[in-house]
Structures are given as C-alpha cells and as structure tokens.
Amino acid sequence: MIQSFDFSALSDYSDVVRHGVYITLLLITVGAALGLAVSILCVWARLFCPAWVRIAVTSYVEFVRNTPFLIQLFFIFFGLPQLGVSMSEMTAAIVAMAINLGAYGTEIVRAGVQATAKGQWEAATSLGMTRNQAFWRVVLMPALQKMWPTLSSQIVIVMMGSAVVSQIAVQDLTFAANFIQSRTFRAFEIYFVVTAIYIVLAALVRLALRLIGRWVLATGEVP
Amino acid sequence: MTDFTLQQIIYALVLGARWTVLLSLSAFILGGILGLVLMLGTISQRKWVKLPALGFIWLVQATPLLMQLFLIFFGPALFGKDVPAWMAACIALTLWSSAYLAEIWRGSVLAVQKGQTEAALSLAMLRGQALRYVVLPQAVRMALPPTAGFMVQIVKSTALASIVGFTELMKTGNILSNVTLDPFVVYGLVAIVYFCLCYPLSLVSRKMETVFDVTR
Amino acid sequence: MSLVKIEGLCKSFGGLEVLRDISLDVERGEVIALIGKSGSGKSTFLRCINGLEQMNSGTIHVDAEPVEADERKLQKLRLKVGMIFQQFNLFPHLTALDNTALALRVVKNMSAAEARAVGLARLEKVGLGHRADSRPHQLSGGQQQRVAIARALAMDPVVLLCDEVTSALDPELVEEVLQVIRRLAEEGMTVIMVTHEMSFARSVCSRVVFMHEGRLHEMGHPEEVFGNPKTPELRQFLGQTASAATAE
Ligand SMILES: Nc1ncnc2c1ncn2[C@@H]1O[C@H](COP(=O)(O)OP(=O)(O)O)[C@@H](O)[C@H]1O
Ligand SMILES: [Mg+2]
C-alpha cells in the first residue's frame, strides 16, 4: 500500500511548528550563553583554584563528555527532585544544555588559552597586572577569538542534540513534530519537513554566531 | 516502591548495557564499512561520485540524529511497512556513523601531503595503488585517535534508541526508574555504566594521539 | 628520433598562461639545466613531461611513448621517466629500502626478494647501502634526497627529471647530492634538471635552457649561455644570481 505524500495536513499545525521553532531557538540561545559562561569559569577555576576544585572541574568535564546528553537530562529532571532540586521542563532542559556545552566548551577554551603565547602572560604581569587580571583582560579574549569557530560548531551540535528535550515534554520543534505525527499519522512528511527546518535553523545559528564573532569578539573573519 | 535491591538494579542495567554494546559495535562496523565507501567516494575524481557522497555527509551532519531515527522508524509505515525499533536504531546509527567516519577519514587522507601521491604516481603507480600503498597507510595512523574518539560518540548516541522503544541501557533505566520510583539512583547508575563504557575509549583515543605522532 | 620530444607545449592554470608554445628535443645522454626566475614555469614544465600536470595543447614523447590523459598509458610513460622532487617526498612509513622496493613490487610485479635486491643495489649506488633499514626521518636531508634518487633509479628510467633537488638542503649537504647526479651524468643518464647551482650547470650540463615567462627564452652550450648571454632578460637573470651568490 503506497500512499501519496500529503503535506497539506501540516499547514493546519503551523502554529505548533512556529512555537516549536521559538522554543528550540530560545533553548539554544540561553543554553549557549550559560554554557559559555560555565566554560570560561571552569577554565578560570582550573588556572586559579585550589587542587580540589581543579579535580572537581576535570571530573565534571570528563563525566559529561563520556555520558549521553539524554541521561544527563533525565538525571536532572527526574533524579534531582529527590534531592529537593525541582525545576520546570524548560529550566531542566536549559540547565542540561548549559552543563553539556560547558564541559565541551571548557576543553575548547582551555586549548585556546594554552595556545596563547607565554609572552602574553609575562607581558601582562610585567605591566603590574596580577595573573588573574591578565587572564580576564589579556588572555581570555584572544583565546575565545581563536576558538570561536570550534565553539560555534559545538553550539550547533548541542542544538541538534537538544531534539531529545521533547522527551521531558519541552515543547520544542521535535515535540511539535511528534505531536503532529500523533494527530495526523503523516510521519514521513512531518519528520521530513521538520528535519529541513532544523537545517535552516542550524544555518541561521551558524550565521548568528559568525556575526557575534565578528562584532563582539572582533575575530576579523570574513563571513 | 517495589523492593529492588541495588544488586538487582545493577544486574538489570548490565544486561541492558549488552544491547548498548551490541548496537554500538554494529553501528561502528557497518558504519565503518559504509564510511569507507563514502570516503573513497569523496576523494574520487568523478563528480557524479564525489558530489552525492559529499551531499550525504553534509545532510547527515546538518540534521539531528533523532530526526533521522524518527524518519527511519516512522517513515516506512507510510508504505505499510513496519520497522522494528532495533532495526531502525541500527540503520539510523549506521548511516549517521558512516557520515562522520567518512568525514574523519577524508580529513586524514587529505592531510597526507600531495607530494606523496605525486611521488607514487611518478613511480608509475596507478591512482588506486598510490592510495592503497602510500596514502592510506599514512592516513590510518592519523585517523586512529579521532576514530576511537568517535566511538565514544556512537556509544552515547545509542541512548536515542530508547526513544523508539529499543530496550538497551537507557530504556532499561527508564523502566527501572518507573518501577523503583528511585530515578536518582537508577539514572545515576545508568550514567555510571555509560561512563564506564565511554571513558576507556576516550583514554585510548588520547593515548593514541601521542603515540601516533604524524611525523614518525 | 630524440629521446624526449616536446612540440608546441602550452599550459595554463585558469586564465594564467604558464607555458607558451614550448618545443624542445633532448637526445639520449644529454644533461639539460633549466634555469630561470621563480614562477617562470620550470616546475610546471617538468611536471608536464611526466603527466603530473595535464597540458592544454602540444605533444610530448619520451622514448616514443606519448603523454596522454589515459591512466594506463601514463603509467607506461612514467616507467620511463624518473622524477626527483625538491621536498624529497619519501614515504615516511617505509624504510629506505622499502621506499626503493615498493614500486618494483607493485608496478613491476617483482618478488619481494628480487625487489629488495634491486633496491639495495640502487641504495649502494648512491652510497647508502648501510642505511637501508633507516626510516626517512632518521636520515639527513642529503641522505633523504639520495634515497629519493635511488628510488627513482630502481625503476630503470631512461630520463631523470630533477626539480631543484638541492634547494631544500642545508648548504653543507648540497655537494653529496650533486655528486650523485654528476656520476649519473658521466654514466650516460639523460637528465633534465631545474637548478640554481650555476657552477654545477656549467661543469656538468651539455645544454642550458633559460626559461622566461613560460617560454624557452634562450638556450645553448653552458659556455655560450653563461659567457655570452644574448637576451637582456638572461643577462639580467645571470646578474641577479651572480650578485645573490656573492652576497652569500
Ligand atoms: N597548481 C597550480 N595552480 C595554479 N597556478 C599554478 C599552479 N602551479 C603553478 N602555478 C603558477 O604557475 C606559474 C609557474 O609556476 P612554476 O612552474 O612552479 O614556476 P617555477 O618552478 O619556475 O618557479 C606560477 O605563477 C605559479 O603561481
Ligand atoms: Mg619550481
């Protein structure tokens, strides 16, 4: 039995799709911002904090990088309330994304900081800055600039991975797809269209990141 | 709360983890074979071979794995065909791995200096011979660390199979969490089992980076 | 018929004309020095002769074997043409001996023992028999280049193309490589070499060809070309290299 493709059913649900797009973009925007902050803090902690903090940061990075995002999400959303830490689906999703991106971002930013010439640190400290000041004022920005393309790719990867937040009932784009699928049973058309939307979103996010790189970080890269 | 002992939970998770391992291995092996073909396609001189291969790789990398899985799991129903969850997961992960592996290996092949191929051709080798005897042996060394690193990604990605109902490690965790009503412990343990599967691979990958110094 | 016969060779990269209507006959046993400014097309010229670059028009024959796009025909041609590169391009994953033996096994279908015997003989010829089991990174630049020469010689080519084979070497290593080429020349090997070693060209080569903007601008016996350059371009080029040499 071969049915013909029918995309018309989708048009009735354009609001659902639009909401899904909005949520997916909201998640990645907030998640990426928090994730970057986590990355920078972790790199800072690894440089300036006592050994036990450094060990904690390293364990965090390794643990997150070596477990699936899905389990991180479920642990946060279903597991943590047992410790009295409850949050909404949206918050859980954002926290999970930030934690996930934070771990990868830490490694990426750290590589950037390591690549920064020793002379930079020395020049800064010889101008009377503390090493801490040198980190924030001299070393960090070039490191971010240098690693921005890698960070951008990682952010897009996290966005692709965020499709699973639909599993804790966050109404993202994938949730919209599943919802429409369950109503219309036109699985192929829906997942096809939503996949295409993801491609467009990824391209948009990449473009936005590139512009941010140019304007905020002044990476001087040609778009 | 159903009275499950910790041992029973761990035992059930380890049983579920066998399927995770099996799924990972099949995705890696099948994906590796397909990835090798794809990689060879991308370095072909013929446009009609090269462009589709590059296009496939791009498409897979530009879309969420979960969407690919849904398309394969739910899509064929349109044609009146049912795909079992394990098969959908296996197909999706194979295709997905093949694209990433092809990209990794393509990078390694392209990183072998052009002069190597030219030297081989100048010695009257055919293109295929130059690839087989000169370029690939060098590319393999470069590709080993990122390939091992990608195996970690494969293991982690198998967790998505739980979403279409395949009872591997993650799904076992979901079931146990529901019956024990103790998601903190169950999901914590699930995470630890994944970590035990993945971390050694990460270490191997990192170790290889130092052992297989490209210049040697 | 000449050993190497080139007629009306033209080659451009996109809009850039790199070789313009080049014709050259090289007789068996000749040693040709190809000189000229950087970017004048010398490398491209050599690479056309063994088909590493595809020419746009013209014909090239080596020992009656034509250069054609077809891979099998190119293989037959390349069996007659050896090439030595500026950057050596040794296979880093193989020992010196395996570098020389690989193509013998793969292309000429020799047995392993046979190929090793031939390879070893060629390594001995360049004075490196004792380094047969060394990997390229364990050898000095001069030794690597000599292995590269042995590797090309192992295939028994009728003509050897050398593209600035001493340019990547430290000055003290240049002579050992030139020595090898000098000996080959004395034994009657046909060689076309791009070089900046003017004194070597003068003493060893039978003919010097000056390339300028993709043309064979002037050629002749070394005494003539160096002693009595006819065109202002060659005079300027020789003046520059002379002053560069004295500056060093
Ligand atoms: N693969 C290529 N693509 C485009 N331009 C090239 C390529 N190879 C060489 N050229 C150009 O051709 C000209 C001649 O180069 P080449 O033959 O290497 O000169 P030479 O060896 O005399 O220095 C140069 O202008 C160079 O930039
Ligand atoms: Mg050159």
Side-chain angles (χ1 to χ4, degrees), chain A residues 62 65-66 82 104 160 195, chain B residues 62-63 156 182 184 202 206:
Chain A
E62 290 300 338
R65 281 158 51 97
N66 286 287
Q82 271 179 281
Y104 287 91
M160 295 296 173
T195 301
Chain B
T63 55
K156 291 195 292 178
D182 193 359
F184 182 81
S202 293
R206 225 169 292 164

Side-chain angles (χ1 to χ4, degrees), chain B residues 32-45:
Chain B
I33 295 169
L34 184 58
L36 190 65
V37 174
L38 273 175
M39 180 276 282
L40 292 174
T42 64
I43 58 171
S44 162
Q45 309 275 86

Side-chain angles (χ1 to χ4, degrees), chain A residues 145 148 210-223:
Chain A
Q145 282 166 11
W148 192 246
R210 204 172 268 197
L211 294 179
I212 290 173
R214 282 228 303 172
W215 291 338
V216 182
L217 296 174
T219 52
E221 166 214 16
V222 191

